[in-house]
Amino acid sequence: MTHPLTTSLLLATITGTFTMHGCDKDDDHQETAPSSSLKIDTAPWFENKSGPSGVDFNWISGAQGEFNLPEIIGGGIAMIDYDNDGDLDLYFVQGGQLVNAIKDPLSNDVSDKLYRNDGDFKFTDVTEAALPSRSVRGYGMCPAVGDYDNDGDTDIYIANLGRNTLLRNDDGQFTDVTEMAGLGDDGWGSAAAFLDIDLDGDLDLYSGNYLEWSPETEITCHATQGGEDYCAPTNYPTPAIDRLYLNLGDGRFKDITRASGIASNARTALGISIADYDQNGFPDIFIANDGMPDTMWSNQGNGRFVDTGLQSGCSVDNDGQEKAGMGVGSTDMDDDGDIDLLVCNLGGESDSLFRNDGDHFTDLTARSGIKTTTSKYTRFGLGWVDFNNDGYLDLYEATGRVQRAGESVSGDDPYAEMNILLSGKAGDRMSLRTPVGGVANQKPRTSRGAAFGDLDDDGKIDIIVINKDAAANVYRNINEEKGRWMLIKALDRNGRDAIGAKLTVKAGDRRITRMIHPAGSYYASNDPRAHLGLGPITSVEYLDILWPDGSKERFDALETNRVHTIRQGEGRAE
């Protein structure tokens, strides 16, 4: 958040060379919009079902003109099958009355919300029945989802401004076990994710922090057009140290922040993604930092982590500039078997697209077709997903300013922007879709967290977007293209989602690689299943899976256009 947004919406098609099957052009040109006379109207890809779905969540910032920085940063969303009925439910992290929520969460008059998926895009608020009301009233930021106790129920960790919270799931009923688990850090919690750092079969926890901050130390800046405004993080002297917790297997966690090396680097964590980026067999941790170099915590396999971001080429952009890292996307964009990175940033800064070349990352942003397009917005939530199942990755970005600058696109919210959607194309080209954001009659909002997953199991990825002081968007994917697809639910020997598993599918002449990991985007936990858009491919020859413990299995001849469940050690797909 180091520069204000200075440009307005670009409602035009932008072409470039964004690749899914390899990037081989060397030009560094800046894209420009085509003539306004070019017809670019397209059918919506999504329909907003916020009202009809039964979801009526508003993230409440508590802003009262004091410009406390946390008000412009939250909030978060998780897709979680909390009741084990096979579909994705929705957990919303709430804000509220900021000062009260920090000092005494029970005085906060709003709480987190849990909505049960009843099918056909209908949801029921089960907050009162399922959540411990005293424990979900903090000023919330980011949820992390995973079955930390291997009992078959998915648990939730909530990074708050103030005391973080661990909710243990017992057959659909959640219990606050924070103190027993040893996880009650009371800083400014931000990016969080479960992962198995030592491959011992249980989930450890990375809990990011943003700044050392309190209402008493808050400062106020001024907008470029006059008047008070929120400050950029570089105005604050104290970035925070993240936390790393080792799962002891008995319900408790051990803080290994210093022993692991994580304490060596205090930065401003916002986005997080987990994958074995260097392919040494252990999961690494990528952190997008706000106004500071991004961090690549390389897992050495002995309990130690080393920040290799600078030497590997993914901590700053091609010009050596650090950016305001927010949301993160992570997938194999070019079918070469390793995991690439996409980081979204502030208005005036482009996204950063890093291709993984094995021993280093290559910045492809300038030649990808997204540099000029994305820099016109301040982006937070990020979905790097094949939304129309044509075999090419698309890009959805939830946007919203952090400082007032330029002309407002919304009369009642000077920070509001329009979320955007870019579609991947054959021939390695990507274009900005209209209607803007792929949604008819979209209203500008200050959007933050965004989660991505198939909420109705129709093979098309849906979206939940969190908006500051406005209703969340529940976007159902209504794209009518006929591309084929597959969803893979991978369960380990304990019956939990096999977080950290790597899947490679042989389909036609392609070898498509995907990871099982829900952490990503911004302040979000996504569908834990692996989604593959296959285009015209009608059959999958086999699926190879590298389980988190290092064992391998092959599953032959999987049908397309369906959800498959694979269980470690069984050798067959359901």
Side-chain angles (χ1 to χ4, degrees), residues 245-292:
Y245 299 97
L246 184 71
N247 192 332
L248 299 178
D250 59 0
R252 297 177 300 142
F253 288 80
K254 179 182 179 181
D255 188 337
I256 59 168
T257 303
R258 295 195 178 280
S260 64
I262 300 298
S264 65
N265 199 344
R267 289 184 181 168
T268 46
L270 284 181
I272 186 168
S273 185
I274 309 295
D276 182 9
Y277 293 102
D278 56 10
Q279 300 195 73
N280 71 343
F282 292 88
D284 308 306
I285 305 165
F286 178 82
I287 302 293
N289 297 301
D290 192 358
M292 303 184 73

Side-chain angles (χ1 to χ4, degrees), residues 335-355:
D335 290 356
D336 68 347
D338 51 28
I339 305 301
D340 311 294
L341 281 165
L342 179 62
V343 185
C344 62
N345 301 293
L346 190 70
E349 302 172 343
S350 71
D351 289 344
S352 295
L353 177 63
F354 296 111
R355 183 183 66 200

Side-chain angles (χ1 to χ4, degrees), residues 17-37:
T17 57
F18 184 90
T19 178
M20 182 172 177
H21 303 305
C23 296
D24 55 7
K25 293 194 176 182
D26 296 321
D27 57 295
D28 203 37
H29 69 279
Q30 298 288 316
E31 315 95 292
T32 56
S35 167
S36 60
S37 63

Side-chain angles (χ1 to χ4, degrees), residues 3-7 346-348 375-378 401 403 405-406 417:
H3 306 288
L5 180 71
T6 58
T7 51
L346 190 70
S375 64
K376 301 178 185 299
Y377 311 88
T378 294
R401 304 175 185 179
Q403 294 173 320
E417 294 184 298

Side-chain angles (χ1 to χ4, degrees), residues 354-415:
F354 296 111
R355 183 183 66 200
N356 190 338
D357 289 325
D359 59 352
H360 69 281
F361 289 87
T362 300
D363 187 341
L364 298 178
T365 309
R367 49 185 124 152
S368 68
I370 62 174
K371 185 169 185 175
T372 301
T373 312
T374 60
S375 64
K376 301 178 185 299
Y377 311 88
T378 294
R379 294 88 61 204
F380 283 82
L382 183 159
W384 200 15
V385 177
D386 185 359
F387 290 108
N388 62 344
N389 292 326
D390 66 349
Y392 297 89
L393 292 172
D394 310 303
L395 177 60
Y396 183 92
E397 298 189 326
T399 70
R401 304 175 185 179
V402 292
Q403 294 173 320
R404 289 180 286 119
E407 183 178 351
S408 173
V409 297
S410 173
D412 60 349
D413 183 354
Y415 305 98

Side-chain angles (χ1 to χ4, degrees), residues 204-216:
D204 311 298
L205 177 67
Y206 190 97
S207 184
N209 285 303
Y210 186 56
L211 290 171
E212 298 291 342
W213 180 93
S214 72
E216 292 74 24

Side-chain angles (χ1 to χ4, degrees), residues 14 33 104 115 145 223 234 308 313 329 408 410 479 484 515 548 559:
I14 305 295
D104 178 15
Y115 292 84
V145 169
T234 49
T308 61
S408 173
S410 173
N479 191 291
R484 302 186 76 82
M515 295 293 300
E559 297 179 19

